[in-house]
Amino acid sequence: MKIKLTVVVVIVASLLFACGSKKESEPPKSCLESIPEAISGLKISGARPEKNVIANLWPTICRARELYAQRMKENPKLGKGMIELKITVDFNGEIEAYSIARSTLDDPAFDQKVLRVFEFMDFDPYGPHNAETQILLPIRFKP
C-alpha cells in the first residue's frame, strides 16, 4: 500500500513540472496534488501498470474537475460526489469502450459532460499485441 502511494506521489510530483494551464477554475498544481485523493479506489487489470494509467489520465481527470467547478456555479446544490468510469484500453492506446459504471451525483447532464471528455482521449501504446487493460476509475468531486 505504501509503495502504491509512493508511486502515485512520485508521479504527481513529476507531473507538476510538466503541466501548464491558463484555466482559472483550478490551477494544474492544485489538481495534480489532489489526484491521489480524487482517484482513491482506482482498479486496473491487464497489461498497463498504475503509473502508466495515471500518467495518461491526469489531464482528463483535471478537465473533469474543471467541468465540476463550472457546474457548481450553475447548480450550487450539486454537492460532493463521485463518478466511476469503466474504461477498456487496447495495447495501441485506443479506448475501445468507456461508460459510467456508477454516479453518486444527481446530475445526468454533468455525468454526460464528464463522459464526453473521454471521447477523444487516447493512451500511449503499451504492452504486447492484443493486450487489453480494464480500468475502473473513480473520480471524486467536492466543492
Side-chain angles (χ1 to χ4, degrees), residues 22-119:
K22 295 183 173 114
K23 302 280 184 203
E24 293 181 16
S25 59
E26 184 172 19
K29 183 177 179 181
S30 173
C31 178
L32 290 175
E33 288 173 344
S34 64
I35 281 182
E37 175 189 341
I39 62 170
S40 174
L42 173 68
K43 294 181 182 152
I44 304 164
S45 62
R48 292 175 186 271
E50 185 176 83
K51 181 178 179 179
N52 176 274
V53 170
I54 293 171
N56 281 276
L57 282 174
W58 75 263
T60 308
I61 294 165
C62 288
R63 178 64 185 134
R65 296 180 81 195
E66 288 173 0
L67 290 171
Y68 175 78
Q70 292 170 2
R71 189 66 176 159
M72 280 295 294
K73 290 176 185 172
E74 300 166 9
N75 180 7
K77 294 181 182 181
L78 186 59
K80 70 178 187 175
M82 185 259 308
I83 294 177
E84 192 170 62
L85 295 149
K86 185 176 179 182
I87 306 165
T88 303
V89 183
D90 199 353
F91 74 98
N92 63 5
E94 292 181 20
I95 294 180
E96 291 188 352
Y98 60 100
S99 62
I100 293 177
R102 181 170 64 116
S103 176
T104 63
L105 297 167
D106 189 24
D107 191 336
F110 175 70
D111 291 350
Q112 291 306 308
K113 282 184 180 183
V114 170
L115 198 56
R116 277 194 297 272
V117 169
F118 288 84
E119 189 172 341

